[in-house]
Amino acid sequence: MELPATRAGRVARSVSATLILLFLALPIIVIVVTSFGADGLGDFPPKQLSTRWYEEIGAPGSDWATAIGLSCLVAALTTAFSLVLGVTTALALARGRLPLRSAVYGLVLAPLLIPHVVIALGLFLLFEPLGMLGSPLAIALGHTVLAAPVAVLILVATLRGIDERLEDAAASMGATRLTIARQITLPLAMPGLFAATVFSFITSFDEFFIAQFLSTADTRTLPIEVFNALQFDVDPTVTAISSVLIGLSVLALALVATARRLGGTRDSQGALPVETVTP
């Protein structure tokens, strides 16, 4: 039997949860506040406020702007590759009749369990004889190894949440597989597709080991540029970049949550009524 919570217990639980959340958010708060410091020492709290480090990020021709552009290009290619592989693989796993489906599913998700440095070394040994080191395409293909399983994981869960009776009803009325996928399955799976797109992009944008093994001195993604800036000294521009990435991550999660909420609202409003038939 569960004992009723007292007022003192509820207050203590709320206070402890607030303190834990503040402790977890403290490093983020320090980074964001420090990014507005005018000096180059990274003092906290800053003695003077300035946006000079944010201005250096977007300065034309700077190493930071070049690295951000390359990371965006690689992440866009990775997202496209991951969605193609993710949609086809998820449809096969959730709707197909594959033999040893669990084993295939485990094999698809295996890159998430293998250390990234091991995958990066294998990709280096694959692309180096082909002369593809430093190519954005090679880096994007390498990132796809990590981003595609994330997309498959999201899309399989999304497809399993779709009522298959809607697809069966369309098929019984003469709709082809392509029509069913285009007019029923994909619209209902749109929140999952959006989430897979966002997380595939983030996975590629933040990946370090594969980019480090496959890049050259002329092709450095943003994580590599950050690593080089912090290897021997503290560059205050890194705090500004970290603040921007934190803001983009929060925005991405908010967009995913909004898309899922809108998708759930649409499903609840447009669901077909089902009558229970009793013998």
Side-chain angles (χ1 to χ4, degrees):
M1 182 178 64
E2 184 178 357
L3 296 177
T6 62
R7 181 180 180 84
R10 290 194 296 268
V11 172
R13 190 162 54 244
S14 300
V15 171
S16 60
T18 303
L19 291 176
I20 292 173
L21 291 176
L22 287 176
F23 176 76
L24 295 176
L26 186 60
I28 298 176
I29 296 174
V30 171
I31 288 294
V32 174
V33 174
T34 305
S35 66
F36 290 98
D39 55 32
L41 302 178
D43 293 337
F44 180 83
K47 299 180 178 61
Q48 294 181 348
L49 299 180
S50 174
T51 59
R52 58 177 294 192
W53 310 119
Y54 290 91
E55 295 172 0
E56 288 192 8
I57 296 176
S62 66
D63 293 337
W64 294 109
T66 303
I68 292 174
L70 178 61
S71 292
C72 289
L73 173 61
V74 171
L77 292 174
T78 301
T79 302
F81 297 154
S82 299
L83 287 181
V84 172
L85 294 175
V87 169
T88 53
T89 304
L91 286 174
L93 291 172
R95 294 291 188 266
R97 293 181 174 83
L98 293 177
L100 302 176
R101 181 184 303 179
S102 299
V104 174
Y105 194 26
L107 182 63
V108 171
L109 301 183
L112 298 178
L113 305 177
I114 301 174
H116 293 184
V117 66
V118 176
I119 298 177
L121 179 59
L123 291 171
F124 172 81
L125 297 176
L126 172 65
F127 288 122
E128 195 277 333
L130 301 176
M132 296 181 63
L133 295 182
S135 169
L137 178 60
I139 301 175
L141 290 174
H143 287 180
T144 303
V145 176
L146 300 178
V150 176
V152 171
L153 192 64
I154 295 173
L155 292 173
V156 166
T158 300
L159 292 175
R160 288 178 176 174
I162 297 176
D163 192 348
E164 294 187 32
R165 289 174 295 182
L166 299 175
E167 301 173 354
D168 295 339
S172 66
M173 298 178 67
T176 63
R177 290 184 178 271
L178 181 60
T179 302
I180 295 173
R182 181 169 52 87
Q183 296 188 2
I184 297 179
T185 306
L186 290 181
L188 293 176
M190 196 56 64
L193 285 171
F194 183 77
T197 300
V198 171
F199 283 103
S200 296
F201 190 93
I202 293 176
T203 300
S204 173
F205 199 85
D206 290 340
E207 212 291 318
F208 171 75
F209 288 105
I210 292 177
Q212 178 77 341
F213 273 78
L214 300 182
S215 64
T216 61
D218 298 328
T219 55
R220 299 191 302 269
T221 60
L222 184 59
I224 297 176
E225 196 68 33
V226 171
F227 176 79
N228 293 337
L230 297 177
Q231 191 171 11
F232 301 107
D233 198 1
V234 178
D235 190 343
T237 312
V238 175
T239 60
I241 291 177
S242 301
S243 300
V244 173
L245 294 179
I246 291 171
L248 292 177
S249 299
V250 173
L251 178 61
L253 292 177
L255 291 176
V256 170
T258 302
R260 293 184 66 87
R261 189 182 304 113
L262 293 176
T265 303
R266 183 184 61 184
D267 292 344
S268 62
Q269 294 176 350
L272 297 178
V274 179
E275 297 181 358
T276 303
V277 179
T278 57

